[in-house]
Amino acid sequence: MNGQGRGGGRPTLEEVAARAGVGRGTVSRVINGSSKVSEHTRAAVEAAVAELGYVPNRAARALAANRTDAIALVIPEPEARFFAEPYFSDVVRGVGAALAETDVQLVLTLAGSDRERRRLSQYLSGHRVDGVLLVSVHAGDPLPELLAELGIPTVISGRRSAAETLPCVDSDNLAGAAEAVRHLLGRGRRAIATITGPPDVYGAQCRLDGYRQALEAAGHPVDEQLVAAGDFTEEGGRRAMRELLERRPALDAVFAASDVMAAGARRELRAAGRRIPQDVALVGFDDSVVARHMDPPLTSVRQPIEEMGRTMARVLLERIAGEPGEATVVLPNRLVVRESS
Protein backbone atom coordinates (compact mmCIF):
# COMPACT_ATOMS: atom_id res chain seq x y z
CA MET A 1 0.00 0.00 0.00
CA ASN A 2 3.15 2.18 -0.04
CA GLY A 3 2.40 3.92 3.22
CA GLN A 4 -1.16 4.83 2.29
CA GLY A 5 -4.17 3.63 4.27
CA ARG A 6 -7.71 3.49 2.96
CA GLY A 7 -8.65 6.82 1.48
CA GLY A 8 -4.99 7.65 0.74
CA GLY A 9 -4.12 8.94 4.25
CA ARG A 10 -1.59 7.67 6.73
CA PRO A 11 -2.24 4.04 7.71
CA THR A 12 -3.93 3.77 11.10
CA LEU A 13 -3.40 1.53 14.12
CA GLU A 14 -6.75 -0.12 13.30
CA GLU A 15 -5.56 -0.99 9.78
CA VAL A 16 -2.38 -2.54 11.15
CA ALA A 17 -4.48 -4.58 13.60
CA ALA A 18 -6.80 -5.78 10.81
CA ARG A 19 -3.85 -6.73 8.58
CA ALA A 20 -2.16 -8.66 11.43
CA GLY A 21 -5.42 -10.27 12.56
CA VAL A 22 -5.08 -9.00 16.14
CA GLY A 23 -6.72 -6.40 18.37
CA ARG A 24 -5.77 -2.74 18.50
CA GLY A 25 -4.35 -3.12 22.05
CA THR A 26 -2.00 -5.89 20.89
CA VAL A 27 -0.59 -3.65 18.16
CA SER A 28 -0.08 -0.91 20.75
CA ARG A 29 1.76 -3.32 23.06
CA VAL A 30 4.12 -4.44 20.28
CA ILE A 31 4.86 -0.84 19.27
CA ASN A 32 5.51 0.13 22.90
CA GLY A 33 7.91 -2.78 23.43
CA SER A 34 5.82 -4.74 25.93
CA SER A 35 7.06 -8.24 26.77
CA LYS A 36 3.46 -9.53 27.16
CA VAL A 37 3.20 -10.54 23.49
CA SER A 38 4.13 -13.89 21.91
CA GLU A 39 6.90 -13.96 19.30
CA HIS A 40 4.41 -15.19 16.69
CA THR A 41 2.07 -12.25 17.33
CA ARG A 42 4.95 -9.77 17.43
CA ALA A 43 6.19 -11.02 14.04
CA ALA A 44 2.68 -10.71 12.54
CA VAL A 45 2.30 -7.13 13.80
CA GLU A 46 5.79 -6.13 12.65
CA ALA A 47 5.08 -7.58 9.20
CA ALA A 48 1.80 -5.59 8.99
CA VAL A 49 3.61 -2.42 10.09
CA ALA A 50 6.23 -2.94 7.37
CA GLU A 51 3.65 -3.73 4.64
CA LEU A 52 1.48 -0.72 5.43
CA GLY A 53 4.35 1.65 6.14
CA TYR A 54 2.76 2.54 9.47
CA VAL A 55 4.69 5.19 11.46
CA PRO A 56 3.54 5.83 15.05
CA ASN A 57 2.74 9.48 15.55
CA ARG A 58 4.39 9.73 18.94
CA ALA A 59 3.60 13.39 19.53
CA ALA A 60 -0.08 12.95 18.75
CA ARG A 61 -0.29 9.74 20.77
CA ALA A 62 1.47 11.30 23.76
CA LEU A 63 -0.84 14.33 23.62
CA ALA A 64 -3.97 12.21 23.30
CA ALA A 65 -2.93 9.96 26.17
CA ASN A 66 -1.52 12.84 28.25
CA ARG A 67 1.86 11.11 28.01
CA THR A 68 5.35 12.58 28.29
CA ASP A 69 7.38 9.48 27.26
CA ALA A 70 9.59 10.03 30.30
CA ILE A 71 9.92 8.22 33.62
CA ALA A 72 11.73 9.33 36.77
CA LEU A 73 14.13 7.18 38.79
CA VAL A 74 13.93 8.70 42.28
CA ILE A 75 16.51 7.87 44.95
CA PRO A 76 15.63 9.46 48.33
CA GLU A 77 19.23 9.36 49.56
CA PRO A 78 22.02 11.96 49.92
CA GLU A 79 24.35 12.40 46.96
CA ALA A 80 27.31 11.03 48.97
CA ARG A 81 25.59 7.67 49.50
CA PHE A 82 24.48 7.45 45.87
CA PHE A 83 28.07 7.72 44.64
CA ALA A 84 29.61 5.60 47.42
CA GLU A 85 27.35 2.56 47.06
CA PRO A 86 27.56 0.40 43.90
CA TYR A 87 23.97 -0.79 44.48
CA PHE A 88 22.56 2.40 42.97
CA SER A 89 24.69 2.40 39.82
CA ASP A 90 23.72 -1.25 39.22
CA VAL A 91 20.02 -0.34 39.49
CA VAL A 92 20.51 2.56 37.04
CA ARG A 93 22.32 0.22 34.63
CA GLY A 94 19.45 -2.29 34.76
CA VAL A 95 16.78 0.38 34.24
CA GLY A 96 18.77 1.85 31.36
CA ALA A 97 19.06 -1.57 29.71
CA ALA A 98 15.28 -2.07 29.92
CA LEU A 99 14.62 1.32 28.32
CA ALA A 100 17.32 1.05 25.64
CA GLU A 101 14.92 -0.32 23.02
CA THR A 102 12.16 2.18 23.82
CA ASP A 103 11.76 5.91 23.22
CA VAL A 104 11.25 6.56 26.93
CA GLN A 105 13.54 9.15 28.51
CA LEU A 106 14.96 8.42 31.98
CA VAL A 107 15.15 11.27 34.51
CA LEU A 108 17.42 10.54 37.49
CA THR A 109 16.57 12.46 40.67
CA LEU A 110 18.22 12.39 44.09
CA ALA A 111 15.99 13.52 46.96
CA GLY A 112 18.03 13.08 50.13
CA SER A 113 17.07 16.33 51.84
CA ASP A 114 13.76 17.97 52.73
CA ARG A 115 14.47 20.77 50.26
CA GLU A 116 15.13 18.26 47.44
CA ARG A 117 11.92 16.40 48.34
CA ARG A 118 9.87 19.62 48.16
CA ARG A 119 11.37 20.46 44.79
CA LEU A 120 10.66 16.93 43.56
CA SER A 121 7.04 17.16 44.79
CA GLN A 122 6.52 20.33 42.75
CA TYR A 123 8.12 18.73 39.70
CA LEU A 124 5.97 15.59 39.90
CA SER A 125 2.81 17.62 40.57
CA GLY A 126 3.27 19.10 37.10
CA HIS A 127 2.88 15.57 35.62
CA ARG A 128 6.15 15.90 33.73
CA VAL A 129 6.73 12.13 33.80
CA ASP A 130 4.51 9.13 33.03
CA GLY A 131 5.72 7.07 35.97
CA VAL A 132 8.22 6.80 38.80
CA LEU A 133 10.73 4.17 39.90
CA LEU A 134 11.41 4.64 43.61
CA VAL A 135 14.58 3.10 45.05
CA SER A 136 15.74 2.74 48.67
CA VAL A 137 12.52 3.77 50.41
CA HIS A 138 12.64 4.19 54.19
CA ALA A 139 9.62 3.59 56.42
CA GLY A 140 7.61 6.78 56.85
CA ASP A 141 8.87 8.35 53.63
CA PRO A 142 6.04 10.59 52.32
CA LEU A 143 6.97 10.15 48.64
CA PRO A 144 4.98 6.93 47.95
CA GLU A 145 1.79 8.50 49.34
CA LEU A 146 2.37 11.67 47.33
CA LEU A 147 2.72 9.64 44.14
CA ALA A 148 -0.46 7.72 44.96
CA GLU A 149 -2.34 11.01 45.49
CA LEU A 150 -1.07 12.35 42.17
CA GLY A 151 -2.13 9.14 40.43
CA ILE A 152 1.34 8.61 38.95
CA PRO A 153 2.12 4.92 38.22
CA THR A 154 4.90 3.90 40.62
CA VAL A 155 7.09 0.83 41.18
CA ILE A 156 9.39 0.63 44.18
CA SER A 157 12.57 -1.33 44.79
CA GLY A 158 12.33 -3.12 48.10
CA ARG A 159 9.14 -3.42 50.11
CA ARG A 160 8.48 -0.92 52.90
CA SER A 161 6.75 -3.64 54.96
CA ALA A 162 5.22 -7.08 54.65
CA ALA A 163 1.95 -5.35 53.73
CA GLU A 164 3.35 -3.35 50.79
CA THR A 165 0.55 -1.78 48.71
CA LEU A 166 2.59 -0.46 45.76
CA PRO A 167 3.90 -2.61 42.91
CA CYS A 168 7.42 -3.57 43.92
CA VAL A 169 10.49 -5.56 42.95
CA ASP A 170 12.56 -7.05 45.75
CA SER A 171 15.10 -9.77 46.43
CA ASP A 172 14.70 -12.50 49.04
CA ASN A 173 16.61 -10.74 51.81
CA LEU A 174 15.63 -13.16 54.57
CA ALA A 175 16.67 -16.31 52.68
CA GLY A 176 19.93 -14.70 51.54
CA ALA A 177 20.93 -13.72 55.08
CA ALA A 178 19.99 -17.14 56.44
CA GLU A 179 22.18 -18.82 53.79
CA ALA A 180 25.12 -16.60 54.80
CA VAL A 181 24.78 -17.59 58.47
CA ARG A 182 24.38 -21.30 57.63
CA HIS A 183 27.60 -21.04 55.62
CA LEU A 184 29.45 -19.59 58.62
CA LEU A 185 28.03 -22.28 60.92
CA GLY A 186 29.13 -24.90 58.40
CA ARG A 187 32.67 -23.50 58.64
CA GLY A 188 32.63 -24.18 62.38
CA ARG A 189 32.04 -20.59 63.48
CA ARG A 190 29.96 -20.20 66.61
CA ALA A 191 30.20 -16.60 67.89
CA ILE A 192 28.66 -15.07 64.77
CA ALA A 193 27.96 -11.34 64.95
CA THR A 194 25.90 -9.22 62.58
CA ILE A 195 26.03 -5.58 61.51
CA THR A 196 22.51 -4.56 60.53
CA GLY A 197 21.23 -1.98 58.07
CA PRO A 198 19.02 0.94 59.18
CA PRO A 199 16.01 -0.23 61.23
CA ASP A 200 13.60 1.80 59.09
CA VAL A 201 14.52 -0.17 55.95
CA TYR A 202 12.38 -3.31 55.63
CA GLY A 203 15.04 -5.19 53.65
CA ALA A 204 17.51 -4.61 56.49
CA GLN A 205 14.95 -5.97 58.98
CA CYS A 206 14.54 -9.07 56.80
CA ARG A 207 18.31 -9.65 56.75
CA LEU A 208 18.37 -9.45 60.54
CA ASP A 209 15.42 -11.87 60.71
CA GLY A 210 17.30 -14.28 58.42
CA TYR A 211 20.35 -14.11 60.72
CA ARG A 212 18.20 -14.83 63.78
CA GLN A 213 16.24 -17.66 62.15
CA ALA A 214 19.35 -19.46 60.87
CA LEU A 215 20.98 -19.39 64.31
CA GLU A 216 17.83 -20.54 66.09
CA ALA A 217 17.22 -23.33 63.55
CA ALA A 218 20.75 -24.60 64.28
CA GLY A 219 20.07 -24.58 68.03
CA HIS A 220 22.08 -21.44 68.80
CA PRO A 221 20.19 -18.84 70.85
CA VAL A 222 20.76 -15.31 69.53
CA ASP A 223 23.19 -13.32 71.69
CA GLU A 224 21.96 -9.71 71.42
CA GLN A 225 25.46 -8.51 72.30
CA LEU A 226 26.50 -9.85 68.88
CA VAL A 227 23.98 -7.60 67.06
CA ALA A 228 25.13 -4.05 66.22
CA ALA A 229 23.26 -1.41 64.22
CA GLY A 230 24.81 0.00 61.05
CA ASP A 231 23.60 2.37 58.36
CA PHE A 232 24.86 0.86 55.05
CA THR A 233 27.94 3.17 55.10
CA GLU A 234 31.59 2.17 55.48
CA GLU A 235 32.02 4.37 58.55
CA GLY A 236 28.86 2.85 60.04
CA GLY A 237 30.32 -0.63 59.50
CA ARG A 238 33.55 0.38 61.16
CA ARG A 239 31.75 1.92 64.14
CA ALA A 240 29.54 -1.18 64.61
CA MET A 241 32.56 -3.49 64.36
CA ARG A 242 34.33 -1.50 67.07
CA GLU A 243 31.26 -1.90 69.29
CA LEU A 244 31.10 -5.65 68.69
CA LEU A 245 34.78 -6.18 69.52
CA GLU A 246 34.34 -4.28 72.78
CA ARG A 247 31.28 -6.35 73.75
CA ARG A 248 32.40 -9.78 72.51
CA PRO A 249 36.17 -9.86 71.86
CA ALA A 250 36.03 -13.62 71.21
CA LEU A 251 33.65 -13.34 68.22
CA ASP A 252 34.81 -15.50 65.29
CA ALA A 253 32.54 -14.39 62.41
CA VAL A 254 30.65 -11.34 61.16
CA PHE A 255 27.72 -11.13 58.75
CA ALA A 256 27.42 -7.53 57.53
CA ALA A 257 24.14 -6.54 55.85
CA SER A 258 26.03 -4.80 53.00
CA ASP A 259 29.42 -5.09 51.31
CA VAL A 260 30.18 -1.45 52.07
CA MET A 261 29.66 -2.05 55.81
CA ALA A 262 31.76 -5.24 55.52
CA ALA A 263 34.58 -3.09 54.09
CA GLY A 264 34.35 -0.85 57.17
CA ALA A 265 34.30 -3.90 59.46
CA ARG A 266 37.40 -5.30 57.73
CA ARG A 267 39.34 -2.09 58.39
CA GLU A 268 38.41 -2.19 62.08
CA LEU A 269 39.28 -5.89 62.39
CA ARG A 270 42.67 -5.22 60.81
CA ALA A 271 43.26 -2.29 63.17
CA ALA A 272 42.49 -4.64 66.09
CA GLY A 273 45.03 -7.19 64.80
CA ARG A 274 42.42 -9.78 63.75
CA ARG A 275 43.21 -11.91 60.69
CA ILE A 276 40.51 -12.61 58.09
CA PRO A 277 39.43 -15.41 57.86
CA GLN A 278 41.77 -17.17 60.33
CA ASP A 279 40.53 -15.27 63.39
CA VAL A 280 37.27 -13.80 62.10
CA ALA A 281 35.33 -14.91 59.01
CA LEU A 282 33.54 -12.09 57.18
CA VAL A 283 30.48 -12.18 54.89
CA GLY A 284 28.73 -9.25 53.18
CA PHE A 285 25.56 -8.68 51.21
CA ASP A 286 25.04 -7.43 47.60
CA ASP A 287 28.10 -9.00 45.90
CA SER A 288 29.04 -5.61 44.52
CA VAL A 289 32.37 -4.59 43.01
CA VAL A 290 33.47 -3.84 46.60
CA ALA A 291 33.32 -7.57 47.44
CA ARG A 292 35.50 -8.64 44.53
CA HIS A 293 38.17 -6.00 45.17
CA MET A 294 38.54 -6.45 48.92
CA ASP A 295 41.61 -8.13 50.43
CA PRO A 296 40.85 -10.93 50.98
CA PRO A 297 37.99 -11.09 48.44
CA LEU A 298 34.68 -11.00 50.29
CA THR A 299 32.14 -13.82 50.51
CA SER A 300 28.82 -12.10 49.81
CA VAL A 301 25.13 -12.70 49.11
CA ARG A 302 24.59 -11.78 45.47
CA GLN A 303 21.50 -9.71 44.79
CA PRO A 304 20.48 -9.64 41.11
CA ILE A 305 20.54 -5.82 41.25
CA GLU A 306 20.69 -5.13 37.51
CA GLU A 307 17.88 -7.62 36.94
CA MET A 308 15.88 -5.85 39.66
CA GLY A 309 16.34 -2.57 37.77
CA ARG A 310 15.28 -4.14 34.48
CA THR A 311 12.25 -5.76 36.10
CA MET A 312 11.19 -2.52 37.78
CA ALA A 313 11.28 -0.70 34.44
CA ARG A 314 9.32 -3.48 32.71
CA VAL A 315 6.61 -3.55 35.39
CA LEU A 316 6.32 0.26 35.29
CA LEU A 317 6.00 0.36 31.47
CA GLU A 318 3.22 -2.23 31.72
CA ARG A 319 1.41 -0.11 34.32
CA ILE A 320 1.75 3.01 32.18
CA ALA A 321 0.32 1.07 29.22
CA GLY A 322 -2.69 0.15 31.36
CA GLU A 323 -1.75 -3.51 31.77
CA PRO A 324 -2.29 -5.00 35.25
CA GLY A 325 1.19 -6.58 35.47
CA GLU A 326 2.67 -8.23 38.56
CA ALA A 327 2.12 -6.59 41.95
CA THR A 328 5.17 -8.02 43.72
CA VAL A 329 8.22 -9.65 42.14
CA VAL A 330 10.73 -11.28 44.53
CA LEU A 331 13.98 -12.42 42.91
CA PRO A 332 16.25 -15.06 44.47
CA ASN A 333 19.69 -14.31 45.94
CA ARG A 334 22.67 -16.67 46.13
CA LEU A 335 25.80 -16.87 48.22
CA VAL A 336 29.13 -16.36 46.44
CA VAL A 337 31.90 -17.88 48.57
CA ARG A 338 35.37 -16.28 48.52
CA GLU A 339 38.46 -16.23 50.72
CA SER A 340 37.06 -14.03 53.52
CA SER A 341 35.16 -16.98 54.99
Side-chain angles (χ1 to χ4, degrees), residues 177-198:
E179 187 180 2
V181 174
R182 283 196 299 272
H183 164 74
L184 290 167
L185 288 166
R187 290 287 192 274
R189 308 290 170 153
R190 289 297 175 264
I192 301 171
T194 188
I195 299 173
T196 74

Side-chain angles (χ1 to χ4, degrees), residues 235-247:
E235 184 50 42
R238 189 164 192 170
R239 194 167 51 244
M241 191 68 250
R242 201 155 48 235
E243 248 178 70
L244 289 166
L245 286 171
E246 285 169 8
R247 293 188 212 152

Side-chain angles (χ1 to χ4, degrees), residues 23 33 65 120 125 272 278 285:
L120 174 64
S125 297
Q278 295 91 331
F285 204 108

Side-chain angles (χ1 to χ4, degrees), residues 106-256:
L106 181 64
V107 180
L108 175 62
T109 306
L110 303 183
S113 68
D114 289 340
R115 184 182 175 189
E116 287 170 336
R117 277 177 165 79
R118 284 195 297 272
R119 193 167 62 223
L120 174 64
S121 297
Q122 290 170 351
Y123 177 78
L124 295 174
S125 297
H127 290 276
R128 292 185 176 94
V129 294
D130 296 324
V132 171
L133 299 170
L134 196 50
V135 178
S136 188
V137 191
H138 294 249
D141 192 314
L143 276 174
E145 274 61 47
L146 169 72
L147 292 165
E149 285 171 22
L150 293 172
I152 299 175
T154 302
V155 177
I156 66 172
S157 169
R159 290 164 285 186
R160 291 169 295 167
S161 74
E164 181 56 68
T165 53
L166 286 172
C168 68
V169 176
D170 207 348
S171 73
D172 197 336
N173 290 290
L174 189 147
E179 187 180 2
V181 174
R182 283 196 299 272
H183 164 74
L184 290 167
L185 288 166
R187 290 287 192 274
R189 308 290 170 153
R190 289 297 175 264
I192 301 171
T194 188
I195 299 173
T196 74
D200 62 346
V201 174
Y202 181 63
Q205 292 175 26
C206 291
R207 290 173 201 180
L208 177 57
D209 288 345
Y211 163 85
R212 293 182 188 282
Q213 288 183 21
L215 286 176
E216 286 163 0
H220 297 280
V222 177
D223 178 354
E224 295 301 334
Q225 292 297 302
L226 286 171
V227 178
D231 57 3
F232 286 149
T233 69
E234 184 173 356
E235 184 50 42
R238 189 164 192 170
R239 194 167 51 244
M241 191 68 250
R242 201 155 48 235
E243 248 178 70
L244 289 166
L245 286 171
E246 285 169 8
R247 293 188 212 152
R248 290 286 184 269
L251 63 85
D252 61 8
V254 178
F255 165 57

Side-chain angles (χ1 to χ4, degrees), residues 11-339:
T12 66
L13 198 69
E14 286 76 8
E15 287 168 342
V16 173
R19 175 65 64 95
V22 299
R24 188 179 186 280
T26 301
V27 175
S28 180
R29 281 194 288 278
V30 171
I31 289 167
N32 286 307
S34 169
S35 60
K36 294 289 182 74
V37 182
S38 72
E39 282 308 311
H40 174 76
T41 301
R42 187 183 306 282
V45 171
E46 287 172 352
V49 166
E51 287 169 23
L52 294 174
Y54 174 75
V55 179
N57 186 339
R58 296 195 65 78
R61 190 172 74 235
L63 191 63
N66 196 22
R67 291 267 295 275
T68 65
D69 286 328
I71 64 172
L73 174 59
V74 177
I75 299 175
E77 294 286 358
E79 188 175 294
R81 188 175 167 218
F82 174 78
F83 287 107
E85 201 163 323
Y87 175 89
F88 297 113
S89 57
D90 287 346
V91 170
V92 173
R93 194 176 297 118
V95 172
L99 299 181
E101 299 302 315
T102 73
D103 291 317
V104 175
Q105 177 67 41
L106 181 64
V107 180
L108 175 62
T109 306
L110 303 183
S113 68
D114 289 340
R115 184 182 175 189
E116 287 170 336
R117 277 177 165 79
R118 284 195 297 272
R119 193 167 62 223
L120 174 64
S121 297
Q122 290 170 351
Y123 177 78
L124 295 174
S125 297
H127 290 276
R128 292 185 176 94
V129 294
D130 296 324
V132 171
L133 299 170
L134 196 50
V135 178
S136 188
V137 191
H138 294 249
D141 192 314
L143 276 174
E145 274 61 47
L146 169 72
L147 292 165
E149 285 171 22
L150 293 172
I152 299 175
T154 302
V155 177
I156 66 172
S157 169
R159 290 164 285 186
R160 291 169 295 167
S161 74
E164 181 56 68
T165 53
L166 286 172
C168 68
V169 176
D170 207 348
S171 73
D172 197 336
N173 290 290
L174 189 147
E179 187 180 2
V181 174
R182 283 196 299 272
H183 164 74
L184 290 167
L185 288 166
R187 290 287 192 274
R189 308 290 170 153
R190 289 297 175 264
I192 301 171
T194 188
I195 299 173
T196 74
D200 62 346
V201 174
Y202 181 63
Q205 292 175 26
C206 291
R207 290 173 201 180
L208 177 57
D209 288 345
Y211 163 85
R212 293 182 188 282
Q213 288 183 21
L215 286 176
E216 286 163 0
H220 297 280
V222 177
D223 178 354
E224 295 301 334
Q225 292 297 302
L226 286 171
V227 178
D231 57 3
F232 286 149
T233 69
E234 184 173 356
E235 184 50 42
R238 189 164 192 170
R239 194 167 51 244
M241 191 68 250
R242 201 155 48 235
E243 248 178 70
L244 289 166
L245 286 171
E246 285 169 8
R247 293 188 212 152
R248 290 286 184 269
L251 63 85
D252 61 8
V254 178
F255 165 57
S258 80
D259 292 345
V260 173
M261 291 195 300
R266 182 195 70 102
R267 289 177 60 197
E268 199 59 37
L269 287 165
R270 285 268 169 89
R274 307 299 171 90
R275 297 167 303 162
I276 301 170
Q278 295 91 331
D279 301 325
V280 180
L282 184 60
V283 176
F285 204 108
D286 287 335
D287 193 37
S288 63
V289 66
V290 171
R292 297 187 288 280
H293 291 166
M294 269 175 63
D295 175 29
L298 180 69
T299 294
S300 184
V301 179
R302 175 176 292 171
Q303 286 200 93
I305 301 171
E306 277 194 48
E307 187 185 345
M308 289 168 72
R310 284 196 301 273
T311 305
M312 285 178 72
R314 173 180 61 76
V315 172
L316 182 61
L317 290 175
E318 289 170 359
R319 297 268 163 176
I320 291 168
E323 299 173 20
E326 297 150 290
T328 302
V329 181
V330 179
L331 301 173
N333 296 319
R334 70 182 181 87
L335 187 70
V336 179
V337 178
R338 297 191 180 94
E339 287 89 331

